[in-house]
């Protein structure tokens, strides 16, 4: 094997420590695969208040204490704590960036009580970016690559090309910046820019990190990283060709198209597979799909819905935000619920969708079950116990739940966009070939037709079972994508 590559992997969310969405699943699983392929990858994330030292065996690192971090004119003091994540085959080093003033809190990005973004998110993530670089220096570990994820880490490529440019410790390090969701850009007023310590001339639209008169940290990552990736080929195409998907950064992304690669996220089948899942009442495989129904019964009980094996259960697990297509569901809910079906939703997010869903559950107590919480165990039970899984997303960079659903034999009904388009193949109702139901236009009629098509196939048991078996046998494990990343890392290092 050629020389191992060393990578610092920075993310604001990493399973099992901190999770608000798919980024955490990726950041928890991907590094383990890279490690299995023989490379030295280490994770860097904030030490949030809810991450228990005892629970995760987190220890102080004596020589990484009292690290000064400049935030504009101020200097804050951070230290590093250490732990591992392990999948039995390998261990991955995790460094926690401990700056209690910014991170000893109950939320990742916002206050869980008020639901408002923390007002000092600029300082929090400036400190994370500077902290990562300062830590490397003190550690004396010089990775080949720093792999950044989303806007929270977007300043790092800019720091390496400016403040740290002439420092021999850093000048060989290359950066990869992965876009998990272009719509969240980390936008702050111009006054926040001074806190970054970056040279004044970077505050410009053409070659810098400004959009209009604000600082845009997503733009910063895209502008300054050596290489950019995003989480599906289709999404890479969409963000460089459509104004809507490009979220104001289309032209810049187009300019950087030759450095932008779409690499599909993998999933961790040691966590998301019904044959080994410890969180579900009845394990099963594609050879024993008849046992899946046991989970359906438990799921219906958990949502206090009448148990009936024959009635199809359509589920959603999602952040309740505009991206996920709840407005379409809202338009068709009344018509859809004339069918003999059950709908189950697990989600947290915007008030308007919470209200819609709670009202729906009140109106149809025997047909609709809603829980407005974040509950990982319940998410597993829903994947195992449902017949269909709904993702009518407006856009979807990759999406993980449709991939989990397939492995659980829960047929995804998805809009053909981003990673949904790349991972699901439409079922042919004549022979059951395919793995899910797809619809094209973002409109409620198309969604309703898609669900009705799914219900029709469901009633044809033989065809349905064939599709379920197909879906369960799809393989989206990380190995293939991790190898693509290694190839990419090597290519960058040759440049
Ligand atoms: P996104 O990253 O846009 O939120 P993904 O489909 O990529 O969407 O990933 C969502 C992840 O978050 C999945 O692992 C899903 O199970 C999980 N998730 C979302 N909402 C909840 C919730 N309320 N309870 C438990 N897990 C949730």
């Amino acid at each position: 094997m050629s020389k191992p590559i060393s990578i610092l992997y920075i993310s604001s969310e990493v399973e099992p420590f901190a999770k608000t969405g798919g980024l955490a699943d990726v950041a928890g699983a991907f590094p383990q695969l890279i490690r299995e392929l023989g490379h030295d990858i280490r994770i860097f994330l904030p030490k949030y208040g809810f991450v228990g030292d005892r629970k995760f065996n987190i220890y102080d690192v004596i020589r990484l204490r009292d690290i000064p971090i400049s935030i504009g004119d101020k200097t804050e003091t951070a230290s590093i704590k250490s732990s591992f994540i392990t999948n039995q085959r390998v261990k991955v080093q995790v460094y926690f960036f401990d700056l209690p003033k910014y991170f000893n809190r109950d939320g990742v990005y916002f206050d869980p009580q008020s639901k408002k973004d923390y007002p000092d998110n600029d300082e929090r993530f400036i400190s994370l970016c500077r902290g990562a670089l300062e830590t490397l220096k003190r550690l004396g570990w010089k990775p080949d690559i720093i792999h950044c994820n989303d806007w929270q880490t977007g300043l790092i490529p800019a720091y390496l090309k400016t403040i740290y440019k002439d420092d021999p410790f850093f000048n060989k390090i290359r950066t990869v910046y992965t876009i998990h969701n272009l719509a969240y850009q980390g936008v702050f007023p111009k006054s926040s820019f001074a806190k970054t310590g970056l040279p004044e001339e970077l505050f410009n639209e053409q070659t810098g990190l400004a959009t209009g008169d604000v600082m845009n940290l997503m733009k910063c990552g895209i502008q300054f990283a050596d290489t950019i990736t995003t989480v599906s080929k289709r999404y890479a195409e969409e963000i460089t060709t459509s104004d809507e998907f490009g979220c104001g950064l289309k032209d810049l992304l187009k300019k950087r198209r030759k450095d932008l690669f779409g690499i599909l996220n993998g999933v961790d089948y040691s966590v998301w597979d019904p044959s080994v899942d410890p969180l579900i009442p009845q394990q099963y495989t594609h050879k024993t799909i008849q046992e899946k129904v046991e989970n359906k019964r438990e799921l219906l009980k958990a949502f206090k819905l009448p148990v009936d094996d024959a009635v199809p259960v359509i589920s959603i697990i999602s952040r309740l935000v505009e991206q996920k297509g709840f407005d379409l569901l809202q338009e068709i809910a009344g018509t859809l619920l004339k069918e003999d079906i059950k709908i189950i939703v697990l989600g947290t997010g915007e008030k308007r969708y919470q209200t819609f869903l709670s009202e729906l559950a009140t109106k149809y107590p025997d047909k609709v079950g809603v829980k407005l919480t974040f509950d990982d165990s319940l998410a597993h039970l829903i994947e195992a116990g449902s017949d269909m899984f709904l993702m009518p997303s407006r856009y979807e960079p990759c999406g993980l739940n449709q991939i989990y659903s397939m492995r659980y034999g829960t047929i995804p009904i998805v809009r053909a966009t981003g990673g949904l388009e790349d991972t699901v193949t439409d079922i042919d109702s004549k022979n059951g070939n395919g793995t899910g139901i797809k619809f094209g236009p973002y409109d409620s009629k198309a969604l309703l037709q898609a669900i009705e098509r799914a219900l029709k196939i469901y009633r044809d048991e033989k065809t349905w079972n064939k599709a379920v078996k197909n879906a369960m046998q799809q393989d989206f494990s990380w190995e293939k994508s991790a190898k693509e990343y290694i190839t990419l890392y090597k290519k960058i290092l040759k440049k």
Side-chain angles (χ1 to χ4, degrees), residues 377-432:
S377 292
L378 195 54
H380 285 251
L381 178 61
I382 292 174
E383 288 291 6
S386 308
D387 298 294
M388 301 167 201
F389 194 92
L390 203 55
M391 287 178 86
S393 305
R394 195 180 279 274
Y395 69 91
E396 195 61 72
C398 176
L400 293 173
N401 278 115
Q402 83 281 13
I403 308 180
Y404 300 154
S405 296
M406 287 190 269
R407 182 50 65 106
Y408 283 79
T410 298
I411 294 296
I413 302 172
V414 305
R415 193 169 96 76
T417 180
L420 299 173
E421 168 75 336
D422 286 356
T423 53
V424 176
T425 38
D426 205 37
I427 296 172
D428 183 337
S429 59
K430 288 195 210 78
N431 54 27

Side-chain angles (χ1 to χ4, degrees), residues 47-269:
K47 173 76 168 61
Y48 298 106
F50 52 81
V51 180
D53 288 30
R54 282 240 192 112
K55 181 173 174 198
F56 294 113
N57 277 317
I58 298 173
Y59 294 99
D60 292 342
V61 183
I62 308 287
R63 65 193 178 101
L64 296 174
R65 270 193 195 154
D66 301 328
I67 306 174
I69 309 287
S70 320
I71 309 285
D73 304 334
K74 293 186 291 189
T75 302
E76 302 294 347
T77 306
S79 49
I80 297 298
K81 294 187 168 200
S82 159
S83 184
F84 292 95
I85 46 179
T86 174
N87 63 5
Q88 271 127 41
R89 291 181 298 276
V90 290
K91 264 169 133 186
V92 175
Q93 169 78 56
V94 178
Y95 297 118
F96 286 97
F97 178 65
D98 191 20
L99 207 170
K101 175 178 163 189
Y102 291 139
F103 294 109
N104 188 12
R105 302 182 189 175
D106 295 334
V108 176
Y109 311 118
F110 57 83
D111 179 347
Q113 254 82 54
S114 70
K115 307 268 190 287
K116 289 215 170 79
D117 277 355
Y118 291 122
D120 56 356
N121 271 346
D122 56 348
E123 297 187 15
R124 298 174 79 222
F125 292 104
I126 290 169
S127 80
L128 181 72
C129 293
R130 292 210 85 152
L133 299 177
E134 293 298 326
T135 300
L136 287 179
K137 205 157 177 190
R138 277 167 183 75
L139 197 61
W141 181 62
K142 200 189 291 187
D144 300 311
I145 305 259
I146 299 184
H147 191 146
C148 306
N149 293 285
D150 275 350
W151 70 261
Q152 294 82 4
T153 60
L155 284 166
I156 288 178
Y159 283 140
L160 288 176
K161 292 219 156 90
T162 55
I163 303 179
Y164 295 89
K165 186 167 102 237
D166 298 321
D167 185 331
F169 185 86
F170 290 105
N171 60 16
K172 281 215 176 69
I173 298 179
R174 296 287 168 264
T175 50
V176 174
Y177 180 73
T178 299
I179 302 168
H180 294 264
N181 193 334
L182 190 64
Y184 297 86
Q185 300 190 346
V187 168
F188 299 97
K190 182 163 186 203
S191 54
S192 298
F193 176 70
K195 301 180 191 171
T196 65
L198 286 168
E200 196 61 42
E201 64 268 19
L202 256 61
F203 198 87
N204 80 81
E205 288 221 60
Q206 275 309 308
T207 57
L209 51 58
T211 41
D213 57 358
V214 294
M215 164 169 93
N216 184 322
L217 296 185
M218 174 62 84
K219 181 172 183 177
C220 185
I222 297 170
Q223 190 79 270
F224 294 100
D226 294 309
T227 290
I228 306 153
T229 72
T230 190
V231 291
S232 67
K233 286 207 165 37
R234 179 81 200 164
Y235 192 60
E237 208 47 47
E238 288 169 343
I239 56 179
T240 46
T241 53
S242 131
D243 287 328
E244 188 194 343
F245 290 89
C247 304
L249 297 175
K250 184 191 84 182
D251 292 339
L252 173 61
L253 286 160
K254 226 160 125 184
K255 206 169 87 188
R256 298 227 52 193
R257 188 66 180 93
K258 69 171 189 2
D259 300 316
L260 167 67
F261 301 87
I263 302 180
L264 194 69
N265 282 336
V267 306
D268 187 345
Y269 287 127

Side-chain angles (χ1 to χ4, degrees), residues 19-23 25 181 265 272 317-319 323-324 346-348 371 373-377 379 383 391 396-402 404:
K19 169 163 173 175
T20 75
L23 170 61
D25 295 29
N181 193 334
N265 282 336
W272 294 97
I317 304 166
S318 179
R319 293 181 295 118
Q323 173 196 344
K324 302 291 183 178
L346 172 66
T348 55
K371 288 196 198 272
T373 55
F374 196 96
D375 184 335
D376 188 49
S377 292
E383 288 291 6
M391 287 178 86
E396 195 61 72
C398 176
L400 293 173
N401 278 115
Q402 83 281 13
Y404 300 154

Side-chain angles (χ1 to χ4, degrees), residues 262-326:
I263 302 180
L264 194 69
N265 282 336
V267 306
D268 187 345
Y269 287 127
S270 69
V271 180
W272 294 97
D273 184 321
S275 67
V276 295
D277 191 339
L279 298 172
I280 60 175
Q282 177 64 53
Q283 298 179 344
Y284 58 100
T285 69
H286 70 273
K287 293 194 178 122
T288 58
I289 35 173
Q290 70 283 0
E291 290 173 12
K292 180 172 161 65
V293 71
E294 204 47 57
N295 298 301
K296 182 169 175 171
R297 292 175 193 146
E298 292 304 318
L299 174 63
L300 290 167
K301 278 187 219 154
F303 277 83
K304 300 201 168 55
L305 293 171
V307 174
D308 184 338
D309 293 353
V311 177
V313 174
I314 309 175
S315 295
I316 297 178
I317 304 166
S318 179
R319 293 181 295 118
L320 306 178
V321 294
E322 200 187 338
Q323 173 196 344
K324 302 291 183 178
F326 287 97

